[in-house]
Structures are given as structure tokens and as C-alpha cells.
Amino acid sequence: MKTKIAVFGCGWLGLPLAQSLQQKGYTINGSTTSKEKINLLKDSGIHPFLVDLNDTNFTTNLDLFLNDVEILIINIPPRMKTGDATNYYQKMKLVHQCAKAASVDKVIFVSSTSVYGNINGDVTEKTTPKPATNAAKQLLDIEQLFLNDNSLKATIIRFGGLIGNGRHPIHHLVKKDVVTNGNHPINLIDITDCISVITLIIEKNYWNEIFNAVYPFYPTKEEYYTQTAKNKGLKPPLFTSNKNESGKKVLSYNLVSVKFFDFNTSV
């Protein structure tokens, strides 16, 4: 019998990830905040749990969700637009405590390349992060929370901008009058490769590591989004460039150069 995995957050990425892992023979617990999704998870062969970080007693359901779980995949992005700015980190500390209490052995934390902030030039996993937003600072703090716990095997994945399954930044950008930093490179990854990266970590036991995950294609924002808009029959937005900044190009060094991972889905 294969490993029991808990996918914490069965949303845009978490649900197809959970379905893919279930089809590979893993026993999957999946969390959702929506009662309407319970049957969808059941129909996919996933054991469903209602776990909402905004509930005052969410740790009770979380304990049930983590029972007998070996690998926990945390895929809950910060929601920073409302509420206490420290709320997300504090709740993740409770998740960390519950995982330890449940004797979870391994954790994958889905983070973001936003932790590198406004660095210019090539960025690898060896680059010191300089988060510029509250959300990015909390992501980095949570990364360290898990990486510094020697009782857990934790791996961090810093995904670039997520696309696929109807999701693409162009739909947001065309609503703007002007898009800044048009000379900066794109840093994107398709959902199919997201799932492949997570699966690779599990199957190859790549623990206690940090991985950038960005498709190796870096045209400027103006070039890429102008063409993407035309391909979708949309009016391209206007772009301005910052001649003093080149923007960051995120390289997946640990995946491609060290682990020989091949990205398969173009952006």
C-alpha cells in the first residue's frame, strides 16, 4: 500500500494534484472550505475534510485530516487583503504544531518566487530572498518555520506565476490602462508542470530542499502579453518600461541542473 498523503487546500492546483496522486495509487486526504466540494472529492476517490483556517476551531478538523498521514502538502496561499496582517503566519504555526502532534514525517510547502522581491538579474535557489510585500515576508517566515524543524523533512517549492485550466494573468492585465515594467521578463509555470514537480519530489524523496519552479522561457512582459492577448482575441494593454531595472529572471537551477527535471508544458 502506497503512502498516505494529505493535500491541504483542494483548489485550483490542489484538486487536480490530489486527483493525479490518487490515480497513482496513493491514499489521499483532501481539505476544502466548501461543503459543495465534498462529493466532488469523494467521486475522485479522495477522503474529504472540511478545514477552514478562518474557523475558530479549525485545528479540531485538522487533527482528523492529518491522522496517519505521512506527507502533508500545504497549498494555502496567504489572503492579505483583509484582516490582521500576521494572521496567515500565526495560523500556519498552528498547522505546523498539528503536523508535529500527528507525527507527520514530510511536508511540502507551496511558496512563491515573490519571496525574492524586486531583485534584478538572474535568481537561483542560492539567491538571498528580499521579500517586498507583507504576503511574501510571511511566506518566507513559514518556509523557515518548516525548514528549521529538524524533526520534519520539509521541501519548499517557489512557483512562478501560475497558469493553466483557464487561469492566465492576461485576463487581469487587459483591464488595466497601463502595465508597468514591460521590459521585465516573465516568470510563469503551467499547472501540469506544477503537479509534475510535486510528484517528482514525492517519488524521488527530494526532502530538505528548496526548488524554484519556473518554465525556462523569458521574453519581456510586453512581448509575451501583447502576443498572448492577440492570440486570445483581446486588446493588448499599454506597457511602460523601467530603464533602471532589468527585472528578475528566476532560474530553476536545483530542478533542471541538479535534478535534471524537464518542463513539458510551455507557457
Side-chain angles (χ1 to χ4, degrees):
M1 183 170 150
K2 277 202 172 185
T3 304
K4 188 174 184 180
I5 300 172
V7 179
F8 191 21
C10 287
W12 176 83
L13 171 59
L15 178 58
L17 169 65
Q19 291 169 330
S20 175
L21 292 172
Q22 192 277 335
Q23 290 167 6
K24 289 180 176 292
Y26 294 99
T27 300
I28 304 297
N29 287 356
S31 83
T32 177
T33 61
S34 170
K35 292 181 180 179
E36 290 73 23
K37 262 193 177 178
I38 292 294
N39 287 334
L40 175 60
L41 294 177
K42 285 182 179 178
D43 291 343
S44 298
I46 299 164
H47 302 292
F49 292 81
L50 275 174
V51 184
D52 190 341
L53 290 177
N54 292 316
D55 289 344
T56 55
N57 63 339
F58 82 89
T59 55
T60 301
N61 291 340
L62 188 62
D63 289 339
L64 296 174
F65 171 65
L66 295 175
N67 186 44
D68 290 330
V69 163
E70 181 179 343
I71 300 174
L72 168 62
I73 302 171
I74 303 175
N75 179 45
I76 306 288
R79 307 288 185 187
M80 302 300 295
K81 293 183 179 179
T82 60
D84 182 359
T86 64
N87 205 30
Y88 178 70
Y89 175 72
Q90 295 302 327
K91 287 179 177 178
M92 282 298 134
K93 282 183 68 176
L94 291 174
V95 173
H96 171 253
Q97 292 169 10
C98 288
K100 288 171 65 69
S103 297
V104 172
D105 185 43
K106 306 176 182 74
V107 174
I108 295 174
F109 180 69
V110 174
S111 187
S112 165
T113 56
S114 65
V115 299
Y116 295 113
N118 300 319
I119 294 174
N120 289 296
D122 290 354
V123 170
T124 73
E125 293 87 350
K126 294 182 180 180
T127 302
T128 301
K130 295 181 179 179
T133 66
N134 220 342
K137 290 174 183 176
Q138 290 194 64
L139 285 173
L140 185 60
D141 286 343
I142 295 162
E143 288 183 10
Q144 296 306 308
L145 175 68
F146 285 100
L147 287 173
N148 291 336
D149 186 342
N150 293 328
S151 69
L152 293 171
K153 299 181 182 70
T155 285
I156 308 301
I157 310 173
R158 294 171 177 164
F159 283 129
L162 304 172
I163 65 170
N165 281 4
R167 175 173 176 166
H168 201 287
I170 192 60
H171 298 295
H172 170 68
L173 294 179
V174 295
K175 297 177 183 178
K176 293 187 172 186
D177 294 329
V178 178
V179 178
T180 59
N181 299 322
N183 60 314
H184 288 195
I186 64 165
N187 294 282
L188 301 175
I189 182 170
D190 187 89
I191 187 173
T192 304
D193 280 326
C194 293
I195 292 171
S196 295
V197 169
I198 294 171
T199 304
L200 176 76
I201 291 166
I202 293 169
E203 295 189 338
K204 297 295 185 180
N205 286 306
Y206 291 150
W207 303 109
N208 301 317
E209 302 201 43
I210 296 175
F211 294 107
N212 292 338
V214 173
Y215 189 82
F217 175 60
Y218 306 99
T220 66
K221 290 182 179 180
E222 182 172 6
E223 292 168 339
Y224 175 74
Y225 289 120
T226 297
Q227 187 60 52
T228 300
K230 291 178 179 179
N231 292 344
K232 293 180 178 292
L234 302 171
K235 182 181 178 180
L238 296 175
F239 291 86
T240 61
S241 296
N242 187 338
K243 302 299 184 182
N244 297 319
E245 295 181 359
S246 61
K248 66 175 177 279
K249 182 168 75 172
V250 181
L251 307 177
S252 303
Y253 179 81
N254 285 352
L255 274 176
V256 177
S257 300
V258 179
K259 304 303 182 187
F260 306 106
F261 175 80
D262 291 324
F263 288 88
N264 293 311
T265 308
S266 66
V267 299

